[in-house]
Amino acid sequence: MEREKGERAVVVGSPSRRSGLANALVVLSCSTAEDGEIEVRISMKIVFAFLAILGLSFAASVPVKSTRTLNDDLQDFIALIPVDQIEAIALDYISNDAEVQAVLEYLQSDDFRAIVEEVNASQEAIDLYDYLYKSGIDIYTFVNNINDLLGLPHVEPKTRSLPSKRTFRAFLDEVEAVLPIDDLIALFKEKQQSSPDFAAFVDRISSPEFHTFVDNIYNSDGIKDLIVRFKSLGVDVDRIIKIAKELLGWEPPIPQLTQPRFEPRSPRPQQSGSTRQALKSTRTLNDDFQDFIDIIPIDQIKAIFLDYLNNDAEVQDAMNYLQSDAFRAIIEKVNAAKETIDFYDYLYKSGVDIYTIINNINDFFGLPHVEPKTRSLPSKRTVRELLNKIEEILPIDDLLALFKEKQENSPEFAAFVKKISGPEFHAFVDRMYNSEEFQAMIVKMESYGVDVDKVIKLVQTMMGWESNE
């Protein structure tokens, strides 16, 4: 298809755009330090949005009559995409490559935000969101993840069930019902015996110095107000404190509630110095922490949380408090403490990516990032190289074949494609694409080596638009 000067063909989602999805959902701010090094600050709030979009956005659905839904069809596409590999590649480039970081800065700019606002406000987008929502797709989670990372207001479905009469205590009861608390406590004790790295970690956080630091924070006005608030919501704060003190050796042990469901490994025998060094090189503190994560039913807890967050006023009030200035002040105070800074540095040197965790929390509260004391310089790689790596592992042919197969065999998917390829939606995409903001974005993407023409041609072919040009 030929394009006259100043005109561009229409583009929507495509393999190259999907390859760049990780870029769009991770935010960096780069500042030049006095020694000339570039300090990269990754907003993991957006990384979680990336994971949510690729995973959770198609996991939740509204009730439908048929046994196979459009949600199932889209999940078949997701199943073909090597999400973990793409995430690893994206995070590598995001952490180390100046050109990729520049792209992500643009995706946080007012220009890009204007594009998203214009799309969200259009009647065509509103109608499409409503269609997808009624078809069983949790499109509002997808869209609002993007809106959150851009600082835009949420888009709400036209109809929403009224908040239930459940409480925050009911939410905690459901979480506790699936959380293997006794297993976690037993694993904690087993790790103290079998892992030198974990034993050293516990020694550090249970030391008199750290105990004093925790006491100081605990007795601050902000924490006292927090405790009062959570007690009013039915949180058994005293029980939580008692368990923590018992695990850290600050008071006599509490009896175990039930027999743990997992088999603790036998304590490691005493080793010679050389053998201990060999063990330490193959297992790290990060591996120990991962063992805890592995026995937590994260998907179940996440589903319970999203259900309550969407439907229950008391849980929503609790979340509002966690975004308040009062709670933000608590986080700031903890982050600024020398004991905290030293503790972060210890974990970082032990192989735990603590700054990713902490800065995800800081992003949620709108607080500045905490930076490690040392950081490597960005490499000289490019956005084009990032896309090349992702395209190498992305099964584009399989995705295209599945697209065609779904059109033939799934009435729901065929109806979906018909809607997004129809004349009305085509005209809407044309209008969005030819806006000044979108044109500026395309110019920027082309300057980074994105083959926009290839993307356009692929999308037009899939939508049946090319023959009309």
Side-chain angles (χ1 to χ4, degrees), residues 195 197-202 280 283-291 346-347 350-352:
S195 170
D197 285 335
F198 191 79
F201 164 73
V202 175
K280 187 172 182 179
R283 289 281 300 180
T284 67
L285 182 59
N286 196 68
D287 295 323
D288 290 324
F289 288 163
Q290 187 61 49
D291 289 340
Y346 157 74
L347 291 174
S350 299
V352 179

Side-chain angles (χ1 to χ4, degrees), residues 357-371:
I357 299 169
I358 297 303
N359 288 331
N360 172 53
I361 297 172
N362 288 346
D363 284 337
F364 180 80
F365 295 116
L367 297 175
H369 279 199
V370 177
E371 300 294 344

